[in-house]
Amino acid sequence: MFMYASMYGLAVTNNRTPVLKTNHRLLKYFTLKVIKVTNQDIDSSRLENTKVMVPCCAKYFPNLCNLSPGNHQISGYLQSWKYFDFVKPDILEQFQFDLKTSQLAKEFISEIKKGLSGQITLIGVHVRRGDMISRKNIDFGHQVATTEYLKNAMLTFKQKYPKLAFVIVTSNDDLSWTKQNINLTEDVYFSENHSEIEDLAILTHCNHTIITTGTFGWWGGYLTGGTTVYFRDWPRAGSPLDKGTNHTEYFPKSWIGMS
């Protein structure tokens, strides 16, 4: 989603037309404002292009906003809100979920609200650990959010909203750990047996967001709006990932970092 949103923003900035392969995964879920092309189209002479490689994960490269004439094929993570936040309404419109996914998310949230009385504030919580605790990712600089962080973030919202519920989204691999490390009080609900796209839609039907690490949670916060709290100790200081990350260019200014 970062790569598409950044490509779209850069296309607007450079007065170009965004192009996406017809088999791109995002097209299964969203209606995007792009020209769809096949591999054959890309290989043909009419789509000759200049290849631009962005080396870092979470930094903003302003030189991409002043591309030379002609077609450009940009590769890399492009993980910065600064590439596309100026066209945020357009991005939010394009990242609206298909009717089936949206309906499932609404029904899931409605079931939660049925057992609650009064005006309830919903806090979406995304927990990611699994692949982040592999030796490769740890050596690179990834750090998973701690139990203390999750408790502090949840407490922050509890102090602000007297009537609230937490909606927890995580992978099947992380579900057991999450249930063991988040207090299972009456105001905590888990999304289980849903696909990734369904879980993302569920997050966006909440009012505010707590994220741990990874871009899935990031997009949950961005699409939801409201207040977003993030784990500020990612990545590990001095690591290769840290050298390729700029917090102010990755996390929007209004988001709140906590430990």
Side-chain angles (χ1 to χ4, degrees):
M1 293 176 73
F2 257 117
M3 287 185 282
Y4 174 76
S6 294
M7 178 190 71
Y8 185 85
L10 288 171
V12 173
T13 299
N14 289 282
N15 194 27
R16 309 295 167 86
T17 301
V19 174
L20 206 61
K21 290 184 180 180
T22 54
N23 62 350
H24 196 284
R25 184 183 179 189
L26 288 180
L27 293 172
K28 292 173 56 179
Y29 310 112
F30 305 113
T31 302
L32 306 178
K33 297 179 180 179
V34 293
I35 292 178
K36 304 176 187 67
V37 298
T38 64
N39 286 332
Q40 185 177 359
D41 291 327
I42 293 175
D43 292 337
S44 69
S45 58
R46 70 185 183 90
L47 278 179
E48 290 180 356
N49 56 71
T50 300
K51 294 185 178 181
V52 180
M53 176 63 187
V54 180
C56 297
C57 295
K59 280 187 177 181
Y60 174 68
F61 291 86
N63 60 301
L64 294 178
C65 296
N66 188 27
L67 297 174
S68 59
N71 300 318
H72 287 74
Q73 182 178 337
I74 301 173
S75 58
Y77 291 99
L78 298 173
Q79 292 173 357
S80 173
W81 58 269
K82 298 184 76 171
Y83 290 119
F84 54 82
D85 197 60
F86 71 100
V87 288
K88 184 174 182 177
D90 214 359
I91 296 298
L92 296 182
E93 179 185 352
Q94 294 183 70
F95 282 158
Q96 290 188 42
F97 298 92
D98 63 87
L99 184 60
K100 180 181 178 182
T101 302
S102 184
Q103 188 61 35
L104 181 146
K106 288 178 181 178
E107 291 174 358
F108 179 81
I109 294 298
S110 294
E111 284 298 313
I112 292 175
K113 289 183 175 181
K114 276 184 182 179
L116 304 172
S117 60
Q119 187 67 32
I120 300 295
T121 299
L122 295 178
I123 315 300
V125 183
H126 176 245
V127 178
R128 180 178 176 183
R129 289 177 56 81
D131 59 321
M132 292 295 183
I133 57 176
S134 71
R135 173 49 54 188
K136 177 181 178 181
N137 280 330
I138 291 174
D139 289 345
F140 187 52
H142 283 291
Q143 292 205 125
V144 295
T146 62
T147 304
E148 290 71 25
Y149 160 73
L150 289 168
K151 290 178 178 178
N152 290 338
M154 293 172 75
L155 180 60
T156 296
F157 282 106
K158 283 186 175 183
Q159 292 172 339
K160 187 172 183 180
Y161 300 103
K163 300 187 71 173
L164 84 174
F166 295 98
V167 180
I168 314 296
V169 167
T170 189
S171 69
N172 288 334
D173 292 340
D174 292 330
L175 187 59
S176 177
W177 181 93
T178 305
K179 286 186 174 182
Q180 291 173 13
N181 288 274
I182 289 182
N183 292 331
L184 299 181
T185 59
E186 67 280 357
D187 57 4
V188 174
Y189 301 84
F190 285 85
S191 168
E192 299 186 48
N193 302 315
H194 292 129
S195 67
E196 288 182 350
I197 197 68
E198 290 166 349
D199 274 338
L200 185 58
I202 287 169
L203 283 178
T204 66
H205 279 75
C206 297
N207 304 108
H208 308 286
T209 316
I210 296 171
I211 66 176
T212 50
T213 58
T215 59
F216 184 95
W218 192 102
W219 278 101
Y222 193 80
L223 297 180
T224 300
T227 299
T228 298
V229 173
Y230 67 89
F231 181 55
R232 69 183 176 199
D233 293 334
W234 173 93
R236 188 181 75 254
S239 66
L241 180 58
D242 182 47
K243 294 174 183 177
T245 299
N246 184 318
H247 266 210
T248 63
E249 295 174 349
Y250 179 67
F251 297 109
K253 296 178 181 179
S254 62
W255 292 12
I256 302 169
M258 295 184 65
S259 295

